Amino acid sequence: MQVVEVETRVTAGGVVQEVEVGLGSRSYSIVVGGGVLSELGRRLAALGLRGRAAVVTSERIGALYREPILESLRAAGFHPAAVEFPDGEEHKTLAWLAVLYDRLLEMGLDRRSLVVAVGGGVVTDLAGFAAATLLRGLPTALVPTTLVGQVDAAIGGKTGLNHVLGKNLIGAFHQPRLVLADVDVLRTLPRREFIAGMAETIKYGIIRDAALLREIEDGLSEVLELRRERLVRFVAACCCHKAAVVSDDEREESGARMVLNFGHTVGHALETLTDYRRFLHGEVVAIGMVAAARISHALGRCEAATVERIERLLKRVGLPTELPGGITRTALALAMQTDKKSVDGRIRFVCVEDIGRTSFVELTAQEIVNHL
Ligand SMILES: NC(=O)c1ccc[n+]([C@@H]2O[C@H](COP(=O)([O-])OP(=O)(O)OC[C@H]3O[C@@H](n4cnc5c(N)ncnc54)[C@H](O)[C@@H]3O)[C@@H](O)[C@H]2O)c1
Ligand SMILES: [Zn+2]
């Protein structure tokens, strides 16, 4: 397991934590703090970047954060311009990628120009893919504005878009030069999105960090009230986990990244069956994590108390924990079989052994639903 370095600084604005993603020459920092948006330009200039900067965002996020971002870049000597596309997952497509390429080329970007993606996973995935491929790769900075973005989507270099045949089928690995996570922007995030993001943070606690899970349990009200100091430490702790897993297995080759799939086998199947409309991703992950814990218990891998603890915390957060009515086991098994992660009908299922500890087991989709 890689050791991830965290540097903590106390500034006038409060605590800022820097997490180093160790990937040799592609290493970069994730800066987590309150009010750090204004530091974007200065930090990028300090990395030796300069020239044109395309700020890619969605219309909704742009309306909130375009100006301070442009201002910070201008103040550091960049020549920035914003490119915005309509809000929503339905725009993470080849058609909108083509529009984005047009806009970026019209701006006269050259190979040293910078792409700054400002938004949730939809924006960072699409803008990241554009940056990975345009002119064979442009330096990228990510400014995640959702909890999912800050603890997951903006870390690890995965970029991509959806195809009519499935989600995230087109993509590339492209590590950013900097990730700047300002926890203050989470104040404008719709509440349901924040709560859904909590599922992925709880996942890190379950799979890797018993102390983090305990902290979430004990400090939940402060997190849910978006207390700055608490959020900075909490988001940075989650970033460390994603960074460590990514550093171990940058391109999903060794299988180490597979542990992040905890709760996602049942979760993805449920997402497919409900057409990606009924639930947010974190909500199906919450249901999937409880299902995974129950299966782990049924297989004798964890205590009943572990299942109860996971379920209790997710409920306190306000996340769903039960399969919705109308979803049959047969349908669920079928959806799991067709998942891209299933190989020859067998699924590498992530079990929880105890809080902070996991193991893998090969199961068929039928075996998984039989234990539910
Ligand atoms: N690349 C990866 O490793 C990775 C990991 C996880 C998820 N993803 C991808 O991320 C996407 C989901 O991302 P998401 O959960 O961040 O959702 P999202 O990008 O769809 O954003 C959710 C909603 O919140 C709005 N929003 C975002 N930030 C806001 C803010 N600060 N204030 C007000 N509104 C704001 C957005 O406009 C959108 O309507 C999916 O496409 C998924 O495939 C990628
Ligand atoms: Zn997920």
Side-chain angles (χ1 to χ4, degrees), residues 58-62 64-65 86-89 92 118-125 144-160 162 167-168 182 184-190 193 196-197 200 242 257 264 271 280-282:
S58 77
E59 287 162 1
R60 178 168 172 185
I61 301 159
L64 292 162
Y65 301 110
D87 198 73
E89 180 81 30
K92 216 178 91 173
V118 183
V122 167
V123 173
T124 52
D125 273 10
T145 62
T146 61
L147 185 56
V148 168
Q150 297 188 347
V151 303
D152 187 3
I155 311 164
K158 275 210 229 174
T159 70
N162 303 327
K167 289 246 304 164
N168 298 320
D182 188 333
D184 287 2
V185 307
L186 299 176
R187 292 185 193 148
T188 56
L189 185 67
E193 295 284 348
E200 302 281 359
K242 180 83 192 259
R257 263 197 189 198
H264 284 59
E271 233 171 359
L280 294 177
H281 176 72

